[in-house]
Amino acid sequence: MSSSQAKQADGICDGVCDGIWHNARIAPAGNPGQVIADGALVVRDGLIAWIGSAVELPEEYGNADLPRHDAGNRWITPGLIDCHTHLVYGGNRADEFALRLAGASYEDIARSGGGIVSTVRATREADEDSLFLQASRRLEALLAEGVTTIEIKSGYGLDLPTERKMLKVARRLGEHFPVTVYTTFLGAHALPPEYQGRADDYITLVCDEMLPVLHAEGLVDAVDVFCENIGFSVAQSERVFVAAAKLGLPVKMHADQLSNIGGTELAARFNALSVDHLEHLSEADIVAMRESGTVAVLLPGAYYFIRETRLPPLELLRRHQIPVAISTDSNPGTSPTTSLLLMLNMSCTLFRMTAAEALMGVTSHAALALGKADRHGLLAAGRAADFVVWDVESLAELAYWSGLNPCRTIVRGGRLSAASKKGVSP
């Protein structure tokens, strides 16, 4: 058997991964309860041409001279989606971590000039190449665990030149690495030092100058705002949403992490794609989310890292059938994690989500949170061939293990990702 044939027989392809992937257990939407037991899928020109039970493989493919990739009865899911990250920034906040361990609260640190503002200083000082190299290390770790789609927010510049620089780096990451990147403008993340005491003036800058310019330059896919007592008020957040709506941009919100000041109700009124964090979410807010189709994004890494004690109201979200996504919230201050698989484990152990809920939270529900359910989170004919082959007996293992990466093969856009584990014996 040639080296190429051996790789194909072992579910590995060289470069372009066209052909028939068979002998697989396939969860097309990432739901372990909806499985094609003896599954196969056909990849042609970067797209899924067909998916279903192997016994139903159309003759046009079965009789064609196509490469065959034996998955070895492994599991195949859609590529994972990290739908809430702050991946591009300068420096780190390890020293603040030490302060927090010594008893300082997140609010204490923020009000004393640390927190987000300290990262703003480091990000403003870094050039584009430096930010790209720093973010690349974090992105590579996520890709190695099967992430094929990611959202990256700005928000550590808080002035036009640095916000532009961050968003350009995010776009560059998507061009350099095998991942689809969606950018979110988070100019309303914190109040920059030069605008202390003038929050309304800063929101004017965000709405009237920064957002229109960055949108015109093609750097913005969505708009976010940090609506909290230590962030921006409901009225200020509404101004940002109105500005986004004028440009036809979808919105999302950091809300109800530290308090409930009405952010989620506002987000639902603007049909936000998602509201994220949500430890202080009320049932009235959840009803509003259901009516607006807004997705709940839970961020267990931040909950864990700042040692939060109030759990998000998962049972109420279930009762009202709100789609729940899970993400790393990868950021330097409150969730310095680069492992989406670890977030699966934490969402189950900390929030008591089921393994199935967690898996849908990083596939189909994460796609909804990005407003991209028509492109990601589901394996179906006509969709991009973004999928992962997992070396596990049960998909529950993806949420079970902590520190073990069972990712075997990653295919993104019909091509083998460099993050795949080549040459690993079955």
Side-chain angles (χ1 to χ4, degrees), residues 170-399:
R171 289 282 196 235
R172 185 174 161 191
L173 290 167
E175 295 165 358
H176 186 80
F177 289 94
V179 63
T180 301
V181 173
Y182 294 104
T183 57
T184 296
F185 172 62
L186 182 56
H189 195 193
L191 197 61
E194 61 269 25
Y195 276 87
Q196 286 304 310
R198 297 189 295 130
D200 286 335
D201 291 342
Y202 178 65
I203 291 297
T204 297
L205 176 71
V206 167
C207 296
D208 294 353
E209 181 179 345
M210 295 168 69
L211 177 55
V213 170
L214 296 172
H215 174 255
E217 294 175 358
L219 294 174
V220 181
D221 296 322
V223 176
D224 199 346
V225 61
F226 183 41
C227 184
E228 274 287 356
N229 285 320
I230 64 168
F232 295 95
S233 69
V234 171
Q236 290 160 348
S237 300
E238 184 169 8
R239 290 177 61 194
V240 176
F241 281 2
V242 168
K246 289 179 180 178
L247 296 173
L249 290 167
V251 297
K252 52 184 71 175
M253 178 180 279
H254 287 60
D256 300 332
Q257 179 185 15
L258 307 172
S259 59
N260 187 322
I261 64 172
T264 295
E265 188 277 330
L266 171 68
R269 189 150 44 87
F270 278 80
N271 298 308
L273 295 174
S274 71
V275 284
D276 305 32
H277 285 294
L278 304 179
E279 282 84 350
H280 291 261
L281 188 66
S282 73
E283 186 166 10
D285 293 329
I286 293 172
V287 171
M289 289 173 63
R290 182 186 62 201
E291 294 173 353
S292 65
T294 300
V295 177
V297 178
L298 303 187
L299 305 169
Y303 178 93
Y304 163 81
F305 196 75
I306 67 173
R307 297 189 291 182
E308 179 59 78
T309 57
R310 181 172 178 136
L311 290 165
L314 181 61
E315 193 53 48
L316 285 175
L317 291 167
R318 286 173 175 150
R319 186 183 308 165
H320 291 281
Q321 299 181 323
I322 306 297
V324 177
I326 300 297
S327 188
T328 60
D329 189 19
S330 185
N331 76 76
T334 61
S335 189
T337 181
T338 55
S339 174
L340 191 56
L341 292 180
L342 179 59
M343 298 305 97
L344 294 184
N345 179 275
M346 284 187 175
S347 67
C348 294
T349 57
L350 298 177
F351 297 162
R352 297 297 187 263
M353 293 181 72
T354 67
E357 288 171 333
L359 286 167
M360 288 187 288
V362 296
T363 50
S364 54
H365 289 173
L368 285 171
L370 292 179
K372 301 296 181 182
D374 60 333
R375 297 187 59 187
H376 305 289
L378 175 69
L379 301 177
R383 299 266 189 138
D386 293 354
F387 60 88
V388 184
V389 181
W390 301 98
D391 215 346
V392 294
E393 290 298 320
S394 164
L395 283 182
E397 290 186 53
L398 302 187

Side-chain angles (χ1 to χ4, degrees), residues 139-199:
L139 180 59
E140 286 171 342
L142 289 164
L143 299 187
E145 292 188 347
V147 171
T148 58
T149 303
I150 190 169
E151 182 251 26
I152 300 177
K153 304 177 189 294
S154 67
Y156 292 125
L158 309 184
D159 60 25
L160 180 56
T162 315
E163 291 290 296
R164 175 190 284 122
K165 179 172 60 177
M166 293 181 68
L167 292 167
K168 288 175 66 177
V169 169
R171 289 282 196 235
R172 185 174 161 191
L173 290 167
E175 295 165 358
H176 186 80
F177 289 94
V179 63
T180 301
V181 173
Y182 294 104
T183 57
T184 296
F185 172 62
L186 182 56
H189 195 193
L191 197 61
E194 61 269 25
Y195 276 87
Q196 286 304 310
R198 297 189 295 130

